[in-house]
Amino acid sequence: FPEMLPNPKLVLVQGTLNVVMKQNVTLSCLSKSGSPPVRYTLFKHNQQVSALNRSDLAPAFFTLTISSASDLGEYKCKAEYNSSSGGKYSNSLNFTLLEPISKPVLSSPTSRAKKGQNVSLSCLSENGSLPITYLFFKGKQNISPQKKMQKREAAVIFLFINSLSDFGTYKCKASNNFPNNTKYSNGFNFTLAEERSHSQPLIISLGVILLLLIIGLALAMPFFIIPTYKASE
């Protein structure tokens, strides 16, 4: 009787589990002990993909091309004797698709600021596989540590506007695991908000009172001029 087969082990020997379209990957499946020949079958979501017979204790190699979204997902292999109706299943490997990121958008709740004010900037790429890493710049100078976002949400930094030099152009950079894929945002500038003088409200109030006095005198003038004119007749 053949020796009982242990559960085989499915291993990725070429490529990565995070794949791009048209990428080739190679898997190996092996039960480390048993009595050859052994039949190895590769499954994707319980659907047979390929099968190989091995007459020795060497692994079975399966090469795949990830050409569409249907090639993604969970893979397992099965080891069995040709004369057996049973078999043992391996661990699973799951392929996920890497997508390039879109150009990030840099924004702020306010575009006007004054010296001594706290402001915030947020950076977000709407598309692209996670995680996404963001970095913020003012001019060409990095002004923040890397922010690695595991969810589809904006990276946010907080700034203190201390001087006129803080009103330069800000940008952010986004990147993910997709090869050679780094995108920069639009430039964002804060504009200086005019600071009103403390005396301005008082000046405005005095101006309104003076205007009302002038209008009042203008309306009252006929009542003084007409009686005087009649008295002189």
Side-chain angles (χ1 to χ4, degrees), residues 45 50 58 83 134 140 147 150 165 172 187 221 230:
H45 295 310
S50 183
S83 59
Y134 296 96
K140 294 182 179 180
K147 293 182 176 290
Q150 302 289 345
S165 64
C172 68
M221 192 68 71
K230 287 184 177 181

Side-chain angles (χ1 to χ4, degrees), residues 115-151:
K115 287 188 287 184
Q117 182 177 342
N118 289 307
V119 295
S120 65
L121 286 170
S122 62
C123 184
L124 176 65
S125 286
E126 292 285 354
N127 300 302
S129 50
L130 298 170
I132 297 176
T133 301
Y134 296 96
L135 200 58
F136 291 82
F137 297 86
K138 187 174 83 66
K140 294 182 179 180
Q141 182 180 0
N142 174 20
I143 59 171
S144 75
Q146 288 188 347
K147 293 182 176 290
K148 194 171 187 177
M149 309 303 292
Q150 302 289 345
K151 297 181 180 179

Side-chain angles (χ1 to χ4, degrees), residues 17-31:
L17 292 177
N18 293 321
V19 296
V20 297
M21 286 298 179
K22 308 299 182 183
Q23 180 176 334
N24 292 327
V25 295
T26 301
L27 306 174
S28 74
C29 184
L30 175 65
S31 286

